[in-house]
Amino acid sequence: MDAVIAQTLNHFYTLIYTQAVAFNLTFFPSPATASQALSSVCTTIYNYSPENLQLYYDKFVSLPVQSNIIPVFLALFVLYTLFSIILMTVRGIMRMVYNFIRFSLMVMMIVVLLYITREYLDQGAPALYSMFEAWIQGTKSSVPPFVVQSQ
């Protein structure tokens, strides 16, 4: 599989290089030079990587090249389904926490409003009485609303 990837990258770079030469862009290195440099860089990275990564890389390289594409699509579908389920679960938990905080803030605001209203009514609530007096009695009051009368 490593040879297949290297060959594919080499063909890809050769295509780009020929297109660049056609447009008179000469600052790209030749495909042989680029292939040799990339090979040495990859070898250096592989040699200095941790042993666990080298083990996984060796397992990945030893996989056979799939000529049948259906198992690959099936594996991608299964992985996408698992990803979607995990993402749905995480989003659900985040929404639950967010909505709990939002609901708690709303309840707190209502409780604070009721507490302030109760304290206001315990002091006599002159503004509320003058505001709703005309509506409750059905006649228009001579006292305008929101005016606190002195006694």
Side-chain angles (χ1 to χ4, degrees):
M1 184 161 200
D2 192 25
V4 174
I5 293 173
Q7 183 182 9
T8 305
L9 288 176
N10 192 11
H11 285 305
F12 180 69
Y13 183 75
T14 304
L15 176 69
I16 290 176
Y17 181 76
T18 55
Q19 295 295 322
V21 168
F23 287 110
N24 200 16
L25 299 173
T26 58
F27 53 86
F28 288 113
S30 67
T33 307
S35 175
Q36 183 182 6
L38 184 64
S39 174
S40 66
V41 166
C42 290
T43 304
T44 305
I45 289 173
Y46 177 76
N47 290 334
Y48 287 107
S49 65
E51 293 178 13
N52 294 336
L53 290 178
Q54 288 180 1
L55 177 70
Y56 287 124
Y57 177 75
D58 292 338
K59 286 182 180 180
F60 178 72
V61 169
S62 67
L63 289 173
V65 177
Q66 292 283 335
S67 60
N68 190 0
I69 198 71
I70 293 176
V72 174
F73 281 134
L74 185 62
L76 285 175
F77 178 73
V78 169
L79 287 174
Y80 180 73
T81 304
L82 289 174
F83 171 75
S84 297
I85 290 171
I86 292 170
L87 192 64
M88 182 179 61
T89 305
V90 169
R91 284 182 178 169
I93 290 171
M94 293 301 295
R95 286 180 185 148
M96 183 180 68
V97 168
Y98 172 73
N99 286 331
F100 175 76
I101 292 171
R102 190 173 70 175
F103 177 73
S104 299
L105 288 174
M106 283 189 235
V107 168
M108 183 186 70
M109 288 172 42
I110 291 171
V111 167
V112 167
L113 181 67
L114 290 175
Y115 178 75
I116 291 172
T117 305
R118 190 181 71 112
E119 289 294 322
Y120 184 73
L121 289 175
D122 286 346
Q123 293 177 1
L128 285 178
Y129 288 136
S130 65
M131 226 176 7
F132 296 115
E133 185 178 2
W135 181 69
I136 292 172
Q137 293 177 0
T139 60
K140 189 161 188 144
S141 174
S142 62
V143 179
F146 298 107
V147 175
V148 179
Q149 297 174 350
S150 61
Q151 295 180 7

